Amino acid sequence: MLGDIVGRPGRLAVAQQVPVIRERWKPDLILANVENTSNGTGLTPEHYARLKDAGLNGMTLGDHCFKKVQIVETLDTAGDIIRPFNLPLGARGKGWMRIPFPGNPARGLFVVTVLGRIFMHNMPADDPFAAVERALKEFTEKDPIVIVEIHAEATSEKMAVGWQFNGRVAAVLGSHTHIATADARVLSHGTAYITDLGMSGPWDSVLGRDIDKVLSRMITAMPAPFDVAEGDPRVCGVCIDIDEKTGLATAIERIELKANPSAPPFTA
Ligand SMILES: [Fe+2]
Ligand SMILES: [Fe+2]
């Protein structure tokens, strides 16, 4: 699973590096959080289609899920993209998905994304712990293989979700901060965990945004549009080994790949 894809640099870096990931780690499925794909916030249907073409098997969205409102039709109908589960009942789209494993469609990967509540003011979200419990009850497959994404700001809240579902899900993966953390490990009862997957996007930036624009706003207090930055595009995430019999993890490894902006698809 890859962390938040930011803007064109993130999208192209992922398109370029997915074949590298397939070659090196041989994953059954590749997921990514795509909430910042389209000009830094939200996802358009066009970019959804392009990321699918690039080889993503499943996509998740966080607090920016509805920023490009034209995506809601896709969220209602497509089986491989979700928005956070703990939104109000009237919210469009789905909060969890089941992605069949290639070659073994009787077995599926359940993915649920929840928003944290600490320092998260963009959207009204319910208790993420209760929401994951509720989602788990809806996963009716025997010994389901489950990934929980906790899209949240506070490291404490993410770690707490990790411990709460330790031994009950294959992985609890943090996203949203765009800064990868160095704590990837398998918790005591077989749940792979990382506090944040990090960002797939331009690393010469402030969380993917143009450095000068962010500095200008912070130093002068004058509003400035936060353009997406360009330099040093990288792809960031984790590779997880899951035992299909137990539905629990045996290993988690961080991935951080430097893209080559002088090669296709950047130059195409
Ligand atoms: Fe994000
Ligand atoms: Fe976010």
Side-chain angles (χ1 to χ4, degrees):
M1 178 158 192
L2 306 175
D4 305 28
I5 297 175
V6 180
R8 184 173 182 273
R11 190 161 45 77
L12 299 185
V14 166
Q16 186 184 73
Q17 297 299 314
V18 157
V20 176
I21 292 169
R22 290 225 184 267
E23 173 73 26
R24 201 179 298 172
W25 284 276
K26 305 201 165 30
D28 293 300
L29 297 168
I30 304 181
L31 312 173
N33 182 300
V34 298
E35 71 159 1
N36 302 104
T37 299
S38 298
N39 201 24
T41 41
L43 178 74
T44 62
E46 295 73 27
H47 288 159
Y48 162 77
R50 274 193 238 168
L51 287 173
K52 212 171 148 133
D53 288 346
L56 293 186
N57 304 108
M59 298 176 225
T60 66
L61 293 160
D63 51 315
H64 295 303
C65 56
F66 300 140
K67 290 276 167 67
K68 301 285 184 287
V69 74
Q70 61 270 39
I71 197 66
V72 295
E73 295 288 330
T74 310
L75 296 182
D76 283 343
T77 55
D80 57 1
I81 183 163
I82 54 173
R83 45 79 174 160
F85 186 66
N86 53 339
L87 296 186
L89 281 177
R92 297 280 293 270
K94 300 171 292 293
W96 63 262
M97 60 187 166
R98 178 190 181 277
I99 303 172
F101 282 101
N104 185 12
R107 215 61 175 116
L109 178 67
F110 290 86
V111 185
V112 59
T113 299
V114 287
L115 292 179
R117 292 183 295 181
I118 301 173
F119 308 133
M120 296 287 285
H121 309 299
N122 270 345
M123 298 197 103
D126 294 335
D127 175 356
F129 298 91
V132 173
E133 294 289 358
R134 200 152 40 84
L136 291 178
K137 288 201 181 78
E138 296 179 18
F139 303 161
T140 49
E141 200 163 299
K142 188 179 177 301
D143 300 322
I145 300 172
V146 179
I147 290 183
V148 173
E149 179 188 12
I150 169 71
H151 192 81
E153 190 75 37
T155 49
S156 57
E157 190 175 26
K158 292 155 127 175
M159 186 82 253
V161 171
W163 289 120
Q164 177 67 7
F165 297 100
N166 181 19
R168 294 199 281 158
V169 301
V172 172
L173 307 175
S175 61
H176 175 73
T177 72
H178 294 200
I179 301 292
T181 56
D183 60 342
R185 61 173 163 154
V186 178
L187 301 179
S188 54
H189 294 103
T191 296
Y193 176 82
I194 190 166
T195 296
D196 208 290
L197 294 164
M199 171 180 72
S200 299
W203 275 39
D204 285 345
S205 72
V206 179
L207 312 187
R209 303 310 182 127
D210 183 86
I211 297 166
D212 290 337
K213 294 282 171 60
V214 175
L215 278 175
S216 160
R217 196 199 286 187
M218 287 186 176
I219 289 167
T220 68
M222 290 302 288
F226 283 177
D227 300 334
V228 172
E230 284 182 2
D232 194 10
R234 297 192 197 190
V235 168
C236 215
V238 293
C239 181
I240 301 164
D241 281 330
I242 299 169
D243 181 335
E244 64 178 301
K245 292 199 180 64
T246 61
L248 294 172
T250 53
I252 178 170
E253 181 189 344
R254 269 202 68 225
I255 290 177
E256 188 187 307
L257 294 167
K258 252 169 119 63
N260 179 359
S262 307
F266 289 89
T267 50

